[in-house]
Amino acid sequence: MVAIKAGILGATGAVGQRFVEALANHPWFEITALAASERSAGKTYKEAAGWRLDTAMPESVKDIKVVPVDPKAVDADVVFSALPADLALTVEPEFAKAGFAVASNASSYRMEKDIPLVIPEVNPEHLGLLEVQQDARGWDGYIITNPNCSTIVMTVTLKPLMQFGLETIQVATMQAISGAGFSGVAAMAIYDNIIPYIGSEEQKMETETLKLLGEFNGSEIVPADMRVSASCHRVPVTDGHTEAIWAGMRDKPTPEEVRKAFLNFNPGLKELPSEPAKSLIVRDEIDRPQPRLDRNMGKGMSVSVGRIREGIRYIAMGHNTIRGAAGASVLNAELLHSMGKL
C-alpha cells in the first residue's frame, strides 16, 4: 500500500503534537509536511516544537523543516488542522480550494450546513455532505470536521441510547486544563480551584450534539429532535474530561438495559487503525471512571462509562486531546480512506 501523504497545520502546538504522535508510525499515512507560524517556519521540528508530551518526539520528524501554513508550501494529500479557530476560518478553505482534504479539529466550520461534523462511531453517513459541499463551493478538495472534545465524549455514549428514544440530555462537565492549551489557564487561577465557565463550550455541546445525531436527507442535516442543556467547568486535572450525564428517554429503560446497550455497542469500524477494540468501556466499580486511571484506555481513544443509575444518570470520561481532538481527526481521515474518499 502506498502511504498517503499527510501534513499537519499548527504542528508545534499542543494538539499539533498529538497529531505528530498519532501519525508518526501510522500504517496508512506518512508525515510529509509540518506547517506552523512564520516564527517557526524554516526551523527543524525539534528546534521549533518545544515538545510537551510525555512520550518522546518521534525520530522521524525531528529533522523535518517546518514550512509556512500555505497550500503552496505543503506537500500532502490530506492536512490535519490544529489551527486556532480564527486562523482556520481563512486558511482551511484555501487548502480545500487547492485540492487538499482537510481534516479539521478547529471549530470554525463545524456548524456550516454543507460541511460534515463527524464521529465515525456515530454518524458516518453524514460524509454524504462532501459532494454537496464540493458542488456548492466549487472546491476540488473539502473540509471535514470533528466536534468539540467534550461533545465527542458525550455523544459517543448517546449513540447506543438512540434506540430508546432520546428526548432530553443534561450534562455537567469537569474538563481538564489541557483543553485550553499549554498556556491556556494560569496556574494561580486553577490551582485549588474550579472555574465554572469555559467560553462558548456550553453552546458547542448544545448545538453540535443535535447535528451529530441528526439525519442526512441527501442534501442537508436535519437536527435531532431533542433538548440538550450543558454546564461546563474547568478543573485541576491535566488530561481527561469527565461528564455527569442525565438522559431522558421515551422508552424509560432500566439502568441494566442501558448498561447492556453500552456493552453491546459495536460500530463496525475495526478495520480502522485508530479505532479501539472497545469504543465504550463499561466500568462497574462504584468510583469509576476516573481521568488518571481511565483516560489512556484504548490508547486514549476509548470512552469509559460508569455509575449508571435510575434516572438515567451516568458518568462518562475520555481523553480530551486524543479521543477529543487529534485522534478524532485521524479516525475521520481513516474512515474517508476506507470509503474511497481519500
Side-chain angles (χ1 to χ4, degrees), residues 118-166:
V118 173
I119 302 173
E121 298 94 337
V122 174
N123 61 332
E125 68 279 3
H126 287 198
L127 289 179
L129 273 179
L130 292 177
E131 293 180 8
V132 176
Q133 176 190 143
Q134 290 177 308
D135 288 345
R137 298 176 183 252
W139 291 347
D140 291 327
Y142 54 77
I143 297 173
I144 176 177
T145 64
N146 58 263
N148 172 267
C149 47
S150 53
T151 305
I152 291 176
V153 171
M154 179 177 71
T155 309
V156 170
T157 74
L158 297 178
K159 179 64 174 181
L161 302 184
M162 292 288 283
Q163 62 185 296
F164 301 119
L166 269 175

Side-chain angles (χ1 to χ4, degrees), residues 288-299:
R288 299 281 283 277
Q290 297 179 21
R292 195 166 63 189
L293 300 179
D294 298 305
R295 61 192 169 207
N296 290 317
M297 294 295 163
K299 297 183 179 179

